[in-house]
Amino acid sequence: MPNVSRKKQKERKERNIMRKSGSQKGKSPSRMIDERIKELGGWRGKMLSQLRTLIKQADPEVVEEWKWRGVPVWSHDGLICTGETYKNVVKMTFSKGAALENPSGLFNSSLDGNTRRAIDFHGGERIDEEALKALIRAAVTLNASRAHG
């Protein structure tokens, strides 16, 4: 943008960030997640809703956020996981998943990286609720140890 001042570029960038995050609407992240679940409907909406419920059960102090052009995010002393939705899968990505024990073998995606690990859920699939809640609690514990240690 040759003839555009740096100030104008910065203002434009900030407007785009606001527009992408949805924050200009003044809605809470929790409400935006509610709306995403409703908008998805079908098995993906039900799956995201169920995952959200399990996250809250595992960590009642979890903070819900809305980032990266509409991705539900759950944090506690740092990012725990995201809830991404695609045509054929609902993906739960743990930001520090590679550092977590996975005794139940829940991680089935993003297994090659050094940091993240993910779980892909497909329609009609049953969730091992206790194993997932244990994994969420382990992620919270890892965040807390890094935040306070």
Side-chain angles (χ1 to χ4, degrees), residues 21-143:
S21 71
S23 58
Q24 84 278 8
K25 297 176 185 175
K27 294 179 185 175
S28 72
S30 293
R31 184 163 175 202
M32 294 170 82
I33 294 170
D34 289 339
E35 289 176 1
R36 169 59 54 86
I37 289 168
K38 186 177 178 182
E39 165 191 304
L40 286 167
W43 75 266
R44 294 181 307 156
K46 288 178 186 167
M47 181 66 72
L48 185 58
S49 178
Q50 187 177 5
L51 294 174
R52 180 191 201 188
T53 297
L54 293 171
I55 293 166
K56 290 178 173 184
Q57 287 174 354
D59 180 19
E61 296 178 19
V62 73
V63 174
E64 293 190 315
E65 299 175 277
W66 186 259
K67 295 186 177 186
W68 310 301
R69 295 184 184 175
V71 176
V73 175
W74 291 274
S75 298
H76 187 153
D77 287 330
L79 192 105
I80 299 169
C81 62
T82 63
E84 304 147 75
T85 52
Y86 301 96
K87 183 178 178 181
N88 297 316
V89 70
V90 174
K91 181 182 288 286
M92 187 177 195
T93 303
F94 286 75
S95 62
K96 298 177 186 96
L100 299 174
E101 294 291 322
N102 185 27
S104 298
L106 293 178
F107 292 129
N108 61 12
S109 182
S110 304
L111 301 175
D112 296 333
N114 293 330
T115 308
R116 296 181 298 121
R117 293 287 182 271
I119 306 168
D120 287 352
F121 295 97
H122 300 88
E125 196 170 323
R126 190 186 147 280
I127 299 172
D128 183 340
E129 294 183 2
E130 291 310 311
L132 184 58
K133 287 195 277 189
L135 192 60
I136 293 161
R137 286 190 288 269
V140 171
T141 299
L142 179 62
N143 283 354

